[in-house]
Amino acid sequence: MNANHHESSDLTRPRITLRGPAELADALPFVLGFHPTDSVVLVALHGEHGRFGGRVRLGIPRSPREWASTADHLAECLVEGGERSGSRPDGIVVFLCQDPAAGETGRRVMERLRPFAQRLRTACGALDIPVYEALCISDGLYFSYCCPDARCCPPDGTPLALSGTTVMAATAAYAGVQVRGSLRDMERRFQPSAGPREEEQRTALDASAAEIVPRILESAEEEGRAEVRETTLRLAREVLRRFVNPTGEAGRPGAPTAPRTSGGSVASTAESDAADDALVGTGEAAALILGLQDRATRDRAAEWMEGWEGTAALRLWRVLATRCVAPYQEHAAAPLTLAGWTAWSTGDEPTARVALGLALDIDPEYVFARLLHQACNEGLDPESLRSCLRSERDSRLASDQASPDPSSRVRMRVARPQNSRQTLRKPGRRTGGAERRSSAGVRPGGPAASKPGSGSPRHGGHRGTRSGR
């Protein structure tokens, strides 16, 4: 189990009264922003009327031997998160969501997970917090582990309500709350897929590693590293403009942007992702992936975080994450973390949690991803970090892009994965503690001041603690 997979947050949803297990099961995708797959979810309840509060989510461990420690970890995370925000939960609702395996029924899944549900209930009870309901959702059915009344919760399960037909769905639609599909579908958008270009991309990564790594590690006085940094950022700015206007008219102010939809069907999303993927060549993707392994480069790229820059950057980071083919999967931690940060900064918390969770799957010790994941899950305001990044950018531009602080160090190493390929250590590893910025307590800022085509996207920013590393 990876403890970094958990998610927690204070929810701010329109007020609606849920009555009974059926409406609780229907509400779960709207609470999370997606349909959880293979997940255990704990939702905190507060006050006399059971107001929804924070929640934690984790993939269901495959081995039952891990269920006890997982249950304790989730209960502690939910309670501690509530205490940090000044509101200890008064009750908890447990959801176990898992699709049946081949030849398995929904009821069989429910029975197989019953010991895990019981362990979750005792873990919460050990913290003096009762579990009001524990539901298993599988194969289009929900089952209650708590309700003994077969009239409302029959042993063979109850069908879930048809999509879009419930009060919760209507309220969510009125409030503009979207369900992004399944968690599995959201994760797949950030993962490499086998295809005819896989070998071509691998060859390009090999070539970029052979060229970039020596320039970073073997040049005196960090000149090579600085050159690679500026080259990477210049290329990233060039590619970023294509996402603003793929027709090549980005130099014209007010040029139209590529059409995008945030909540379309799986087919339309796949088409949009394929169009984005076509905007980045294999050599360009390889150079950007290798260049972003430098923490200072990654932090300067993080300044493309709002307005048209943020929208385009999120699409670019997603493309780069999908280009990290074997044996370069570990290099995806940098673009995934940038995608998570940009999504959080632009208000897309479900995508942010998915991208940051995938980054932590790759490298549990990736500090920037860990801090962003914790801040996002605790419901902090990203404006605090945005202000720091703006300040660094403005300071650097005011000093006419002075040389980086000599004390700044970029920890890298040469590794030789299979076939003696050269690689860089992923940025973000650090043995010392890193400060987590507290929220500034203000609302997110507006869009970037510059317009598409009116100049280069905002760039710059020295490596430093302000980056959240």
Side-chain angles (χ1 to χ4, degrees):
M1 181 193 71
N2 183 348
N4 288 305
H5 296 179
H6 74 268
E7 299 172 0
S8 59
S9 176
D10 292 326
L11 304 176
T12 54
R13 302 294 189 214
R15 180 172 296 179
I16 180 173
T17 301
L18 302 178
R19 299 177 176 85
E23 294 187 355
L24 282 173
D26 177 67
L28 183 60
F30 300 98
V31 172
L32 297 176
F34 52 82
H35 292 278
T37 49
D38 195 32
S39 298
V40 50
V41 182
L42 273 63
V43 180
L45 303 178
H46 299 274
E48 179 182 356
H49 300 289
R51 174 180 54 84
F52 273 16
R55 85 293 195 219
V56 294
R57 188 205 65 82
L58 186 69
I60 296 176
R62 295 182 180 180
S63 172
R65 291 192 297 270
E66 298 182 23
W67 287 355
S69 60
T70 299
D72 293 339
H73 168 72
L74 289 173
E76 291 170 1
C77 284
L78 185 62
V79 174
E80 290 174 0
E83 290 176 341
R84 281 195 298 269
S85 63
S87 182
R88 180 181 173 86
D90 296 305
I92 291 176
V93 176
V94 173
F95 299 89
L96 292 172
C97 309
Q98 191 171 76
D99 295 331
E104 197 175 31
T105 64
R107 179 169 182 176
R108 175 56 186 154
V109 173
M110 182 270 293
E111 294 294 348
R112 176 167 51 79
L113 295 177
R114 184 183 291 276
F116 189 24
Q118 184 59 30
R119 189 63 184 83
L120 287 162
R121 295 174 69 183
T122 57
C124 295
L127 298 174
D128 295 326
I129 300 179
V131 171
Y132 292 152
E133 182 61 271
L135 298 177
C136 177
I137 300 176
S138 179
D139 198 23
L141 305 169
Y142 73 84
F143 306 82
S144 174
Y145 291 111
C146 296
C147 179
D149 192 342
R151 292 173 298 179
C152 64
C153 297
D156 290 329
T158 304
L160 296 169
L162 294 176
S163 177
T165 63
T166 63
V167 174
M168 184 68 185
T171 304
Y174 178 78
V177 177
Q178 294 182 337
V179 177
R180 308 299 180 90
S182 72
L183 174 62
R184 188 178 296 113
D185 290 336
M186 293 182 70
E187 291 179 336
R188 191 178 295 120
R189 295 187 65 198
F190 289 97
Q191 296 170 333
S193 58
R197 297 183 66 184
E198 181 178 1
E199 184 58 36
E200 181 183 354
Q201 187 62 68
R202 184 162 33 247
T203 301
L205 285 164
D206 288 343
S208 292
E211 176 187 1
I212 292 175
V213 173
R215 291 172 59 192
I216 292 177
L217 300 181
E218 298 174 8
S219 297
E221 299 180 359
E222 298 190 357
E223 292 180 2
R225 182 177 298 144
E227 289 177 1
V228 171
R229 182 174 305 144
E230 293 306 320
T231 300
T232 301
L233 292 169
R234 185 165 55 251
L235 176 60
R237 289 193 292 270
E238 177 185 335
V239 175
L240 202 64
R241 295 190 187 96
R242 302 174 195 167
F243 289 86
V244 178
N245 180 21
T247 63
E249 299 178 349
R252 178 170 61 83
T257 58
R260 299 289 292 179
T261 58
S262 59
S265 66
V266 174
S268 64
T269 298
E271 291 175 359
S272 297
D273 289 347
D276 284 350
D277 191 68
L279 296 176
V280 186
T282 54
E284 294 170 327
L288 291 174
I289 290 168
L290 269 296
L292 288 173
Q293 304 310 303
D294 173 8
R295 287 198 295 261
T297 305
R298 180 206 63 196
D299 292 347
R300 286 178 60 173
E303 293 177 6
W304 303 324
M305 58 189 172
E306 52 194 334
W308 71 271
E309 295 172 352
T311 302
L314 177 57
R315 294 160 60 187
L316 174 57
W317 308 143
R318 187 203 63 79
V319 170
L320 295 184
T322 63
R323 298 293 189 89
C324 294
V325 299
Y328 292 91
Q329 298 98 323
E330 65 175 13
H331 290 70
L336 284 169
T337 301
L338 286 170
W341 156 241
T342 307
W344 182 39
S345 178
T346 54
D348 187 354
E349 290 191 9
T351 298
R353 293 190 182 95
V354 169
L356 293 171
L358 289 173
L360 292 171
D361 282 341
I362 294 171
D363 183 359
E365 301 304 320
Y366 199 89
V367 178
F368 193 24
R370 289 176 61 188
L371 296 178
L372 288 173
H373 200 230
Q374 181 178 359
C376 179
N377 291 337
E378 291 184 359
L380 301 182
D381 193 332
E383 178 61 19
S384 174
L385 182 52
R386 281 199 297 255
S387 297
C388 292
L389 290 174
R390 292 191 202 105
S391 177
E392 287 191 348
R393 179 199 61 224
D394 295 343
S395 176
R396 186 190 63 259
L397 294 178
S399 63
D400 196 25
Q401 297 189 359
S403 300
D405 186 345
S407 64
S408 296
R409 296 173 299 174
V410 182
R411 297 182 182 179
M412 296 184 176
R413 62 178 172 86
V414 174
R416 294 186 179 273
Q418 61 185 33
N419 299 330
S420 298
R421 294 181 171 93
Q422 287 183 301
T423 185
L424 297 178
R425 172 179 292 180
K426 303 179 295 300
R429 288 188 184 271
R430 191 157 122 188
T431 55
E435 295 182 2
R436 177 167 58 87
R437 303 297 177 194
S438 60
S439 173
V442 295
R443 301 305 305 162
S450 55
K451 300 294 183 181
S454 62
S456 297
R458 293 174 175 169
H459 59 282
H462 292 313
R463 171 182 177 272
T465 56
R466 292 181 185 273
S467 65
R469 239 182 345 274

